[in-house]
Amino acid sequence: MAQRPLDILNESLNGPVIVKLKDGRTFRGELQGYDIHMNLVLDETEEIENGEAARKLGTVVVRGDNVVYISP
Amino acid sequence: MAQRPLDILNESLNGPVIVKLKDGRTFRGELQGYDIHMNLVLDETEEIENGEAARKLGTVVVRGDNVVYISP
Amino acid sequence: MAQRPLDILNESLNGPVIVKLKDGRTFRGELQGYDIHMNLVLDETEEIENGEAARKLGTVVVRGDNVVYISP
Amino acid sequence: MAQRPLDILNESLNGPVIVKLKDGRTFRGELQGYDIHMNLVLDETEEIENGEAARKLGTVVVRGDNVVYISP
Amino acid sequence: MAQRPLDILNESLNGPVIVKLKDGRTFRGELQGYDIHMNLVLDETEEIENGEAARKLGTVVVRGDNVVYISP
Amino acid sequence: MAQRPLDILNESLNGPVIVKLKDGRTFRGELQGYDIHMNLVLDETEEIENGEAARKLGTVVVRGDNVVYISP
Amino acid sequence: MAQRPLDILNESLNGPVIVKLKDGRTFRGELQGYDIHMNLVLDETEEIENGEAARKLGTVVVRGDNVVYISP
């Protein structure tokens, strides 16, 4: 069954996601929202470095054009 | 409960936010306004370097395409 | 017979694809979905390095503006 | 009271502004006009280097996509 | 006689083309399709390095924003 | 009196302008035309290096997205 | 008399043009067509290096977003 990209984001709401950004940052958080630009709201966000939580960022609004991929 | 990215910005109005820019700058200020491009108005803005306020910028209008993320 | 780019993606649904990204990453996975921006949904995604699967990423939503090419 | 980014530019007309550009340039001038892309008209513009006016540019039309931020 | 860019692509369908990408890659293949963004479908694609076919890629969908030029 | 950026370009028609490009080039020429993207037509264009005319380019059509600023 | 950028391209049809690209390439060819994105069709195109024709490319379709300027 085919699923559109935004469908996957919708199914992932309130669950954990990994977000890779173009500048190399990796965020792990709970997906609280998104829009058609892939702007994202993450809750309890942690910035991951070398596979470990390096700092806690709480709630963040990520501008979609920074996103490489999102993995639920 | 899901929340769209601009909803979070709306809830954050008149409160403090951290803004990370693509060029590496970090701003801390009071969110006075935004629009659908994530253009932002910050008041009492400080530029943060190494976790400390390095200079005071007062009111700034940030062009949205520079934003990586906004954290209320 | 000419075929539009999105037709090829449509025919490739549920089958394996290689995706080359602008940052040099290579993904191999099963194409589960796409949209007109070439945002992609890949299942059972592996990141390929030097021709070998370097890590398993599961399901990923790739933002289309990162894509160089997709090969079914 | 929330204010949209373009409102701030409107209030700043005919007054001094600092404009930071993506290429590192800093302009100081009198804001004579703007549009929705943040294209700007500056009068009596000076290019600032190391905090000092390094050269006088007179009137300049800045293409908005170069702007990082504008500070009235 | 003037010809619009997409007319040339249309005339080139099912024939060989060279495609230069912004990242330096050169593809040679048979043009199977295109759209208004210059997204391309190439068949029997070869990646060219130093003027020689370095690897066979089969069918590829190239996202148009990577294209520098296309030569039939 | 506020003036929109394109008003300034309109007033500058047939007169000399300096155009700074994102790649560091500086052009000096007579502004013969423009459009809403800031695509420009310059006549008797000279490329300026170290403040001197380094080469004559005659008429040039500059694609607007290369422009940093235009100074009449 | 003011002339819009696309007017100049229209007048230049079937004549020789120099095209400078963002990646540093210089093309010389006969302008066979263009569109509103400044996508171009060049015939009998030569790539110029150090002021000399370094290679013949025949017909090329240049994607407009690569263009710095076009000189008839």
Side-chain angles (χ1 to χ4, degrees):
Chain A
M1 285 290 291
Q3 290 190 298
R4 303 230 153 223
L6 296 187
D7 294 343
I8 299 293
L9 296 187
N10 199 254
E11 290 174 11
S12 304
L13 282 172
N14 302 314
V17 293
I18 299 284
V19 180
K20 283 274 183 187
L21 300 188
K22 287 178 185 163
D23 65 4
R25 281 194 184 93
T26 306
F27 286 165
R28 184 168 54 197
E30 189 177 297
L31 185 66
Q32 288 298 311
Y34 67 92
D35 62 25
I36 56 164
H37 306 292
M38 286 206 195
N39 296 324
L40 304 173
V41 183
L42 300 178
D43 241 23
E44 294 178 33
T45 313
E46 292 172 322
E47 188 171 342
I48 308 293
E49 288 177 2
N50 304 314
E52 298 188 10
R55 62 192 66 84
K56 293 175 182 299
L57 300 173
T59 300
V60 300
V61 176
V62 178
R63 199 173 192 267
D65 68 326
N66 296 283
V67 172
V68 180
Y69 69 85
I70 304 158
S71 183
Chain B
M1 284 291 292
Q3 290 189 297
R4 303 232 153 222
L6 297 187
D7 294 343
I8 299 293
L9 296 187
N10 199 255
E11 290 174 12
S12 305
L13 282 171
N14 302 313
V17 294
I18 299 285
V19 180
K20 282 276 182 186
L21 300 188
K22 287 177 184 164
D23 65 5
R25 281 193 184 91
T26 306
F27 286 164
R28 185 168 53 196
E30 188 177 298
L31 185 65
Q32 288 298 310
Y34 67 92
D35 61 24
I36 57 164
H37 306 293
M38 286 205 195
N39 296 325
L40 304 173
V41 183
L42 301 179
D43 241 22
E44 294 177 34
T45 313
E46 292 172 322
E47 189 171 342
I48 308 294
E49 287 177 3
N50 304 313
E52 298 187 10
R55 63 192 66 85
K56 293 176 182 298
L57 300 173
T59 300
V60 301
V61 176
V62 178
R63 199 173 191 265
D65 67 326
N66 296 284
V67 172
V68 180
Y69 69 83
I70 304 158
S71 183
Chain C
M1 284 290 291
Q3 290 189 297
R4 303 231 152 223
L6 297 186
D7 295 342
I8 299 293
L9 296 186
N10 199 254
E11 290 173 12
S12 304
L13 281 172
N14 301 314
V17 293
I18 299 284
V19 180
K20 283 274 182 187
L21 300 188
K22 288 178 185 163
D23 65 5
R25 280 192 185 94
T26 306
F27 286 165
R28 185 167 55 197
E30 189 177 297
L31 186 65
Q32 288 298 310
Y34 67 91
D35 61 24
I36 56 164
H37 306 293
M38 286 205 195
N39 297 324
L40 304 174
V41 183
L42 300 178
D43 241 22
E44 294 178 33
T45 313
E46 291 172 323
E47 189 171 341
I48 307 294
E49 287 177 2
N50 304 313
E52 298 187 11
R55 61 192 67 84
K56 294 177 181 297
L57 299 173
T59 301
V60 300
V61 177
V62 178
R63 200 174 191 266
D65 68 327
N66 296 283
V67 172
V68 180
Y69 69 84
I70 304 159
S71 184
Chain D
M1 284 291 292
Q3 290 189 297
R4 304 231 152 223
L6 297 186
D7 295 342
I8 299 293
L9 296 186
N10 198 254
E11 289 174 12
S12 305
L13 282 171
N14 302 313
V17 294
I18 299 285
V19 180
K20 282 275 182 187
L21 300 187
K22 288 178 184 162
D23 65 5
R25 280 192 185 93
T26 305
F27 286 164
R28 184 169 53 196
E30 188 177 298
L31 185 66
Q32 288 297 311
Y34 67 91
D35 61 23
I36 58 165
H37 306 293
M38 285 204 197
N39 296 326
L40 304 174
V41 183
L42 301 179
D43 242 21
E44 293 178 34
T45 313
E46 292 172 321
E47 188 171 342
I48 308 294
E49 287 177 3
N50 303 315
E52 298 187 11
R55 61 192 67 84
K56 293 178 181 298
L57 300 173
T59 301
V60 300
V61 176
V62 179
R63 199 174 191 266
D65 67 326
N66 295 285
V67 172
V68 180
Y69 68 84
I70 304 157
S71 182
Chain E
M1 285 289 291
Q3 290 189 297
R4 304 232 152 223
L6 297 186
D7 295 342
I8 300 293
L9 296 186
N10 199 253
E11 290 173 12
S12 304
L13 281 172
N14 301 313
V17 293
I18 300 285
V19 180
K20 283 276 182 185
L21 300 188
K22 288 178 184 162
D23 66 4
R25 281 192 185 94
T26 306
F27 287 164
R28 185 168 55 196
E30 189 177 296
L31 186 65
Q32 288 297 311
Y34 66 92
D35 62 24
I36 56 164
H37 306 294
M38 287 205 196
N39 296 324
L40 305 173
V41 183
L42 301 178
D43 241 22
E44 294 178 34
T45 313
E46 292 172 322
E47 189 171 342
I48 308 294
E49 287 177 3
N50 304 314
E52 298 187 10
R55 60 192 67 84
K56 294 177 181 297
L57 300 173
T59 301
V60 301
V61 177
V62 178
R63 200 174 192 266
D65 67 327
N66 295 285
V67 172
V68 180
Y69 69 83
I70 304 159
S71 184
Chain F
M1 284 290 292
Q3 290 189 297
R4 303 230 153 225
L6 297 186
D7 295 342
I8 299 293
L9 296 186
N10 199 253
E11 290 173 11
S12 305
L13 281 171
N14 302 314
V17 294
I18 299 284
V19 180
K20 282 276 182 186
L21 301 188
K22 288 179 184 163
D23 65 5
R25 280 192 186 93
T26 306
F27 287 165
R28 184 169 55 197
E30 189 176 297
L31 185 66
Q32 288 298 311
Y34 67 90
D35 62 23
I36 57 165
H37 306 294
M38 285 204 196
N39 296 325
L40 304 174
V41 184
L42 301 179
D43 242 21
E44 293 178 35
T45 313
E46 292 173 322
E47 189 171 341
I48 308 294
E49 287 177 3
N50 304 314
E52 297 187 10
R55 60 193 67 83
K56 293 176 181 298
L57 300 173
T59 300
V60 301
V61 177
V62 179
R63 199 174 192 266
D65 68 325
N66 295 284
V67 172
V68 180
Y69 68 85
I70 304 158
S71 183
Chain G
M1 284 290 291
Q3 290 189 296
R4 303 232 152 222
L6 297 187
D7 295 342
I8 299 292
L9 296 186
N10 199 253
E11 290 173 12
S12 304
L13 282 172
N14 302 313
V17 293
I18 300 284
V19 181
K20 282 276 182 186
L21 301 188
K22 289 179 184 162
D23 65 5
R25 280 192 185 93
T26 305
F27 287 165
R28 184 168 54 197
E30 189 176 296
L31 186 65
Q32 288 298 310
Y34 67 91
D35 62 23
I36 56 164
H37 305 294
M38 286 205 196
N39 296 326
L40 305 173
V41 183
L42 300 179
D43 242 22
E44 293 178 33
T45 313
E46 292 172 322
E47 189 171 342
I48 308 294
E49 287 178 3
N50 304 314
E52 298 188 9
R55 60 193 67 84
K56 294 176 181 298
L57 300 172
T59 301
V60 301
V61 177
V62 178
R63 199 175 192 265
D65 68 325
N66 295 284
V67 172
V68 181
Y69 69 85
I70 304 159
S71 183

